[in-house]
Amino acid sequence: MDLGLIGLPGAGKSAVLRLLTGAPAGTRTAVAQVPDPRLDVLASLFHPRKLTRASIGLTELPAFLPGRTPRAEVNTVLDLARRADALMAVIRCFRDPAVPHPLSAVEPERDARALIEELILADLERVESVAARLGKSHARKPEETRALEALTLCQPVLEGGQPLRGAGLTEEQSASLSGYGLVTGKPLLLAANLDEEDLRGGQGVPAPLRALAAEAGVAVIPFCAAVEEEIAALEAAERADFLAAYGLEETGAERLARAAYAALGLISFLTAGEDEVRAWPIRAGTRARQAAGKVHSDIERGFIRAEVAGWADLERAGSWKALREQGRLRIEGKDYVVQDGDVIEYRFNV
Ligand SMILES: Nc1nc2c(ncn2[C@@H]2O[C@H](COP(=O)(O)OP(=O)(O)OP(=O)(O)O)[C@@H](O)[C@H]2O)c(=O)[nH]1
Ligand SMILES: [Mg+2]
């Protein structure tokens, strides 16, 4: 699963990529591990040889200035955005005059709105052209007829300046459009790159940006790239003190990675043993047998049952054995809908 980072020039996209992935400057695509304190708890119980976190791909898309960047360049960015599973728009909120803003004044709400409108416009153009082409076609395939019906629903939504995300398309309608490269149906997150003072003073996300996010129905995650760089350079012990001084429980990089994971529609089930403690990304709603296939296709094929514990129950019990003795281990069948934070031991036949 891949997250595309979009934004105006100098908003802090590269900083986000660097902070979440640890990749050296200049890298445009890298893998971010998703922080999960539950894994650390399990690791302290099982002392595994290996700890494997869930990961997501991050790609920095080239910057563009809505309304100014030539159309062909914007289209290149949009093509990259179409390949992402979700988008994170990095919005400059920090004022530092040493870093010039391409539109001179720092106005986060304007930048975010311009990006959102650009994406809506791109979809509208696409919807119009595809609908026109399919409408004229005399040899329309059944799936094209379904797509045309869905496009007819999309057009007024986009014309009204709204993204397809909240348009109430059924899963079937969305699926019929999946090959047409629409971007506003993808999950979107705003990452507000704040000034250090705003982070410390607790002012947080500027009110107009917050209002826009609420209006657009998207989450906005505050962080400060400059502060994050400082935190990244600290030892673990110093890090906790540093965060406490800001009144924070986790770093901005952790918040961003977690929000991205959630935006991608992913949750984790966990496996724990002496060999490995690991988080497995699945889509919310995945059933036990299908989830088993993530671990190994043999387990999916030979599935007998899943032995499931909430990670917190396992922590309280201290071991699988104690948990079993206390009768708190749940036995679930193939159709059990796996929950975030379930620790699972699969029983299977090969
Ligand atoms: N003062 C301050 N400067 C920042 C902050 N975040 C980023 N910068 C600076 O802003 C500049 C741009 O940051 P980048 O992360 O390169 O931004 P970008 O969006 O990748 O920029 P382009 O790829 O050139 O469009 C760099 O000089 C950063 O050091 C911040 O929180 N505070
Ligand atoms: Mg960059």
Side-chain angles (χ1 to χ4, degrees), residues 12-216:
K13 301 178 294 301
S14 297
V16 169
L17 186 94
R18 216 166 40 240
L19 289 165
L20 268 60
T21 67
T27 309
R28 298 203 80 91
T29 295
V31 171
Q33 298 201 333
V34 182
D36 187 342
R38 300 170 304 191
L39 285 180
D40 302 301
V41 168
L42 293 179
S44 70
L45 291 181
F46 289 87
H47 308 289
R49 277 181 277 281
K50 203 171 150 201
L51 193 154
T52 310
R53 298 184 189 279
S55 61
I56 54 176
L58 253 61
T59 300
E60 177 178 356
L61 310 192
F64 69 97
L65 267 180
R68 305 243 179 132
T69 303
R71 208 61 230 162
E73 267 177 57
V74 177
N75 285 338
T76 312
V77 182
L78 291 169
D79 279 336
L80 290 168
R82 289 183 178 109
R83 282 186 225 158
D85 299 297
L87 298 171
M88 180 184 281
V90 183
I91 308 297
R92 173 171 176 175
C93 302
F94 66 90
R95 291 173 293 270
D96 190 350
V99 183
H101 188 289
L103 299 175
S104 70
V106 175
E107 278 185 47
E109 188 265 353
R110 170 205 58 203
D111 293 353
R113 188 177 290 279
L115 283 171
I116 289 173
E117 286 174 355
E118 192 70 43
L119 298 175
I120 292 173
L121 201 65
D123 273 4
L124 182 57
E125 281 175 10
R126 181 117 331 176
V127 163
E128 285 171 347
S129 71
V130 177
R133 177 165 59 79
L134 293 181
K136 272 187 284 195
S137 166
H138 295 296
R140 220 167 27 234
K141 302 185 188 110
E143 64 268 24
E144 290 177 331
T145 300
R146 280 196 294 279
L148 186 57
E149 281 165 12
L151 290 167
T152 311
L153 294 173
C154 292
Q155 192 162 340
V157 174
L158 296 164
E159 280 168 350
Q162 296 300 314
L164 297 177
R165 207 169 302 117
L169 294 180
T170 64
E171 225 164 279
E172 214 178 17
Q173 287 165 337
S174 296
S176 75
L177 296 176
S178 66
Y180 294 102
L182 301 174
V183 283
T184 67
K186 295 181 196 291
L188 172 70
L189 283 172
L190 303 180
N193 189 4
L194 304 185
D195 246 329
E196 184 171 348
E197 298 126 60
D198 293 341
L199 200 64
R200 198 189 282 274
Q203 270 201 22
V205 179
L209 182 60
R210 228 180 312 130
L212 172 68
E215 177 194 316

